[in-house]
Amino acid sequence: MAFPHRPDAPELPDFSMLKRLARDQLIYLLEQLPGKKDLFIEADLMSPLDRIANVSILKQHEVDKLYKVENKPALSSSEQLCFLVRPRIKNMRYIASLVNADKLAGRTRKYKVIFSPQKFYACEMVLEEEGIYGDVSCDEWAFSLLPLDVDLLSMELPEFFRDYFLEGDQRWINTVAQALHLLSTLYGPFPNCYGIGRCAKMAYELWRNLEEEEDGETKGRRPEIGHIFLLDRDVDFVTALCSQVVYEGLVDDTFRIKCGSVDFGPEVTSCDKSLKVLLNAEDKVFNEIRNEHFSNVFGFLSQKARNLQAQYDRRRGMDIKQMKNFVSQELKGLKQEHRLLSLHIGACESIMKKKTKQDFQELIKTEHALLEGFNIRESTSYIEEHIDRQVSPIESLRLMCLLSITENGLIPKDYRSLKTQYLQSYGPEHLLTFSNLRRAGLLTEQAPGDTLTAVESKVSKLVTDKAAGKITDAFSSLAKRSNFRAISKKLNLIPRVDGEYDLKVPRDMAYVFSGAYVPLSCRIIEQVLERRSWQGLDEVVRLLNCSDFAFTDMTKEDKASSESLRLILVVFLGGCTFSEISALRFLGREKGYRFIFLTTAVTNSARLMEAMSEVKA
C-alpha cells in the first residue's frame, strides 16, 4: 500500500545536527544578555522556534516572560528586553517606539535585537533614523534550515516568493547561499550540481564564491550527498496551481500544515477542543498514507483498524504472565496507534465533506481539461460560473491563472471578460492583484502576434515586412500554441493511458494528479539526472525561457561513494508542494535514489495566490 523504501535505498544524513546548531547559537546569543530578560518574538518565528527550543529551554537561560511582537505598547517590567525578529522595517519602527517611549519616561533598560536569519543594512538605517541605534545591540541568528522531516528541510521564508518573483528583491538569495554553504560544510561537498532559473543561477554563483573564500573547509571530505539540483518556482507554476490529491497535499490544502504540524479542529478530533499534531515520519499511520492518492486512503485505514482490533483481541486468551508482558510492552504502542488512526480517519471524513460540498470532481475534471488542452470553452464557462457563484476569490484566481499559463495567455476578449466579472463579483479592491499576476507572468493577455513560433519568425525574416504581417495574421488565426503545450509534448507530461489509470499501483509520477499530468518540475529533474547534464534538453530549456540560466557543474567523483551518488538534494526556490515531494519520493523508489528536499517554504496554490494578492484575507 504505502511506498516502502527499497532495501538497497541509501541512508539519509542525520539532519538533527542542524537543530542542535541553531539551538546552541540562540542560547549563546541570549546569554550575551546575562540575568533575567523578557523575549519579544515575531509571530512568524514562533512555530520554527518551538521546533528548535521550547519554552522550558528558554526559561533555563533566564528568559522570564515571552511576548508576541504586535502593534501595541509593551507591558514588560523587565530591565532587559530581547527582540527576536525578521529583518523587516515595520519591526524596527515597533522597537524604536518602545525604546523612545522608555526614554520619554526616563527609564533605562538594555535592549538586544536578534535578526533571523540575517541582518539587513536597511534595518540598521531605520534604527539610526529613529535615533536609537546606539541604545540597542544587534545580532544575527543564522537559523535558515529547519528539518521538518527526515528528508525535508525548510527555510521557513514564505515571503521569498513574493519578494523575488514579484518585487524582484534579491535580498534572500544570500540567505540561500549561506544555507547551502552550511550544508556542504556539514555533509561534505556536492560532486554534481545542476540548476535552472535566474534565481537558481544567482544563488549558485554566490554559494560558489562563499566556498572559494573559505576554501579548505570541505577539502578532503567524503561527500554524503552526490547531487544537488536548484530549481526556480517560476520554471513550473502549473504544478503549484493544480489541486492536490495525495493525502499530505490534501491535508495541507484543507487544514494548512504550518511548520510541519497541523491544527485539527473539533470536527476531526470528535471532542470540544482542537489538537496540534506533528506530521512526520514518526507518525507511523501518517507515514504510510502521506504519499498515497486519496482514493486509496480510506481502504488502508479501515484495514489498519481491523488489524489493530485483532491485536487487542489477542489478550483474551492470555494467562497472567502473557498479560503482564502485553501491558508493559505492547499496549502503549497500540493505544498511540489507535489515537493516530482515529485522527486520520476523522481528517479523511472532514476532507470528504468539504470536497463533496465544493463539487471536487467537477473541479478536477476542469483542471485536467486545461492541462490537456481540451474543451477550453467549457472550462472558461466553468470558471465564469465559479466567479459568478462567488465560491472563493482565491480559487477563482487560481483557475484563471491555470487557464492563462496552459494557454500561453488569455485572448484579449476572454481576459477582459473574466477580469470584469471577477471585479464585479469580488470587489474592485482586487484590481492591484491583477497587476501583480500580470507582472509575475501568472495571468497574462495575449498580444496580437504573440503566438509566432520559431518557424514563423524564420519565415518572416525571409520576406518583406508587409508580407510578414500577413503571415503573422494567418498564424494568429490558427489555434494558439503555448509554450506549456510544447513543453508538455516534448516531455510527455500528459501520459497516454489505455483504459483506467491504476491509482493503487501507480506506474509513473502522474499518479499525484490522478494519472492526468506528470509534474513538470519533477520531469525536468528526472531527465537531467538520467543524462547527468542538460544535453538533449536544449529545446525544453529554450521553451522555458531559461537558455542563459541552465547550468551543470560536475567534479571528479572518485571520493563519492556509490551510496552518496544515489542521494539527491533538490532545492526549490520560491516554495515546493507536497505533490512534488510525493512524486519525487515515488521516482526515488523506482530508480533507487533517495531525494532530500530543501525549500524556501512549503507552498500550495492558495498560498501562491495569497502572496500575489493585495487584498489581505
Side-chain angles (χ1 to χ4, degrees):
M1 167 72 202
F3 292 173
H5 289 293
R6 291 162 56 131
D8 62 342
E11 279 295 304
L12 290 167
D14 176 17
F15 292 118
S16 62
M17 196 192 306
L18 294 167
K19 278 187 181 177
R20 290 199 299 276
L21 267 174
R23 186 187 306 130
D24 292 350
Q25 195 192 357
L26 179 64
I27 288 166
Y28 170 75
L29 292 171
L30 289 172
E31 285 182 343
Q32 284 182 353
L33 211 58
K36 287 203 163 187
K37 55 198 145 287
D38 284 355
L39 181 62
F40 288 75
I41 309 169
E42 191 169 355
D44 285 14
L45 284 165
M46 282 181 163
S47 297
L49 178 65
D50 198 37
R51 299 285 300 260
I52 296 294
N54 55 25
V55 176
S56 60
I57 290 172
L58 296 174
K59 296 277 185 198
Q60 283 167 27
H61 297 278
E62 297 188 281
V63 170
D64 188 21
K65 291 192 180 86
L66 294 169
Y67 295 93
K68 189 175 169 183
V69 170
E70 49 195 348
N71 278 336
K72 57 184 188 187
L75 303 169
S76 170
S77 57
S78 176
E79 289 309 302
Q80 302 194 104
L81 304 184
C82 189
F83 301 90
L84 180 59
V85 291
R86 292 270 190 231
R88 292 178 182 140
I89 287 175
K90 63 171 188 173
N91 291 334
M92 299 307 101
R93 304 252 188 249
Y94 168 76
I95 293 166
S97 69
L98 296 190
V99 177
N100 286 326
D102 280 354
K103 279 183 179 177
L104 277 173
R107 185 167 188 184
T108 314
R109 304 201 240 201
K110 276 189 179 174
Y111 311 95
K112 185 179 185 68
V113 182
I114 301 173
F115 294 99
S116 176
Q118 69 183 88
K119 179 169 62 179
F120 289 138
Y121 176 64
C123 293
E124 294 181 302
M125 285 293 290
V126 174
L127 294 176
E128 205 170 319
E129 269 173 32
E130 296 282 347
I132 64 156
Y133 189 61
D135 302 298
V136 300
S137 61
C138 297
D139 253 310
E140 267 183 2
W141 181 33
F143 166 49
S144 56
L145 290 169
L146 174 66
L148 295 180
D149 211 336
V150 288
D151 60 353
L152 175 59
L153 307 172
S154 173
M155 296 181 72
E156 289 302 305
L157 286 175
E159 63 262 53
F160 184 103
F161 177 72
R162 184 185 168 105
D163 285 353
Y164 180 79
F165 292 102
L166 177 63
E167 313 287 358
D169 188 336
Q170 299 173 8
R171 61 191 166 150
W172 298 116
I173 293 175
N174 182 47
T175 313
V176 174
Q178 295 281 3
L180 294 174
H181 181 54
L182 175 63
L183 285 175
S184 64
T185 307
L186 294 175
Y187 303 102
F190 302 106
N192 306 299
C193 302
Y194 317 97
I196 185 162
R198 185 189 290 264
C199 184
K201 193 163 188 182
M202 282 195 282
Y204 169 76
E205 284 169 356
L206 202 51
W207 165 45
R208 275 287 173 249
N209 292 343
L210 288 172
E211 300 275 293
E212 281 162 22
E213 278 170 28
E214 296 179 31
D215 202 19
E217 273 196 32
T218 57
K219 266 194 176 161
R221 291 268 324 257
R222 282 181 79 87
E224 284 186 49
I225 301 167
H227 307 268
I228 178 171
F229 198 112
L230 291 94
L231 185 117
D232 281 12
R233 182 69 274 169
D234 67 352
V235 166
D236 174 20
F237 278 140
V238 171
T239 302
L241 289 170
C242 291
S243 294
Q244 305 193 75
V245 286
V246 288
Y247 180 66
E248 191 166 12
L250 264 172
V251 169
D252 188 35
D253 281 356
T254 313
F255 304 102
R256 285 283 168 112
I257 297 174
K258 190 182 173 193
C259 207
S261 60
V262 66
D263 278 319
F264 282 140
E267 75 280 8
V268 173
T269 57
S270 306
C271 59
D272 298 338
K273 56 181 190 290
S274 294
L275 189 63
K276 194 174 183 180
V277 180
L278 206 58
L279 296 177
N280 58 22
E282 285 171 22
D283 178 338
K284 295 286 183 282
V285 177
F286 174 69
N287 199 38
E288 291 192 70
I289 56 175
R290 68 193 311 179
N291 303 308
E292 286 294 332
H293 189 277
F294 191 66
S295 60
N296 302 333
V297 173
F298 261 125
F300 172 79
L301 291 175
S302 56
Q303 182 58 49
K304 193 93 178 154
R306 285 195 290 275
N307 294 350
L308 205 59
Q309 192 56 51
Q311 281 177 288
Y312 271 126
D313 291 345
R314 274 181 31 234
R315 69 185 190 276
R316 287 193 181 139
M318 289 180 180
D319 58 28
I320 290 174
K321 194 179 177 188
Q322 288 170 321
M323 183 62 86
K324 188 182 171 187
N325 283 342
F326 176 77
V327 169
S328 63
Q329 290 167 18
E330 291 179 51
L331 191 61
K332 194 180 174 189
L334 288 176
K335 279 188 169 171
Q336 170 73 346
E337 207 169 321
H338 182 265
R339 188 183 70 84
L340 293 169
L341 194 59
S342 63
L343 272 177
H344 290 295
I345 289 171
C348 282
E349 285 172 343
S350 182
I351 291 169
M352 286 287 282
K353 272 182 203 158
K354 283 177 185 164
K355 295 302 176 193
T356 309
K357 209 170 162 186
Q358 291 169 359
D359 200 359
F360 196 53
Q361 291 303 327
E362 196 59 37
L363 180 70
I364 294 290
K365 209 171 110 187
T366 303
E367 283 182 29
H368 290 178
L370 292 175
L371 292 167
E372 290 166 27
F374 295 139
N375 305 336
I376 298 303
R377 275 286 128 234
E378 284 92 324
S379 299
T380 309
S381 301
Y382 176 84
I383 296 170
E384 286 176 333
E385 190 192 326
H386 200 275
I387 293 167
D388 295 342
R389 282 170 44 220
Q390 297 184 326
V391 179
S392 146
I394 289 291
E395 274 288 278
S396 299
L397 265 189
R398 174 179 79 82
L399 289 168
M400 286 159 70
C401 291
L402 196 57
L403 172 65
S404 169
I405 292 174
T406 52
E407 290 297 299
N408 201 23
L410 302 175
I411 54 174
K413 183 168 73 78
D414 283 354
Y415 180 82
R416 284 194 294 272
S417 162
L418 285 167
K419 184 178 173 180
T420 305
Q421 287 179 67
Y422 188 93
L423 294 173
Q424 285 172 347
S425 195
Y426 295 116
E429 62 272 20
H430 291 274
L431 196 56
L432 285 172
T433 303
F434 279 87
S435 166
N436 290 348
L437 292 168
R438 184 191 278 257
R439 272 165 57 201
L442 278 159
L443 183 55
T444 56
E445 184 181 0
Q446 287 175 1
D450 256 5
T451 50
L452 240 70
T453 61
V455 177
E456 295 157 36
S457 54
K458 276 177 190 163
V459 170
S460 65
K461 276 174 196 164
L462 302 174
V463 293
T464 63
D465 285 356
K466 202 171 178 185
K470 284 178 183 170
I471 290 169
T472 302
D473 291 342
F475 276 117
S476 296
S477 65
L478 296 170
K480 297 279 186 276
R481 299 274 297 283
S482 77
N483 281 2
F484 176 75
R485 296 271 170 264
I487 293 163
S488 175
K489 213 169 180 180
K490 265 260 172 285
L491 292 175
N492 192 23
L493 299 182
I494 312 294
R496 287 185 182 82
V497 183
D498 303 323
E500 197 82 3
Y501 187 97
D502 188 357
L503 292 165
K504 280 196 167 61
V505 189
R507 66 176 85 173
D508 55 23
M509 293 185 282
Y511 90 93
V512 300
F513 292 116
S514 307
Y517 162 71
V518 176
L520 169 58
S521 52
C522 304
R523 179 68 97 207
I524 291 171
I525 291 164
E526 178 192 28
Q527 292 293 316
V528 172
L529 288 173
E530 254 175 41
R531 294 170 164 79
R532 290 288 183 96
S533 76
W534 290 97
Q535 228 173 351
L537 293 169
D538 307 347
E539 182 63 10
V540 172
V541 170
R542 188 187 67 75
L543 288 165
L544 289 165
N545 304 315
C546 287
S547 299
D548 299 331
F549 309 114
F551 57 88
T552 310
D553 181 11
M554 304 177 84
T555 53
K556 280 198 182 117
E557 292 179 4
D558 47 2
K559 280 203 183 93
S561 64
S562 61
E563 184 97 340
S564 74
L565 287 172
R566 290 186 296 132
L567 274 177
I568 298 133
L569 173 68
V570 182
V571 184
F572 284 92
L573 300 167
C576 100
T577 65
F578 283 116
S579 296
E580 288 166 311
I581 292 172
S582 293
L584 287 173
R585 280 177 184 149
F586 174 86
L587 180 69
R589 193 188 63 139
E590 293 292 293
K591 307 266 185 187
Y593 300 136
R594 274 304 271 286
F595 284 96
I596 299 158
F597 307 93
L598 165 56
T599 177
T600 47
V602 175
T603 193
N604 60 19
S605 57
R607 288 191 191 100
L608 224 60
M609 292 295 98
E610 283 160 12
M612 290 287 153
S613 177
E614 288 297 328
V615 181
K616 296 299 163 230

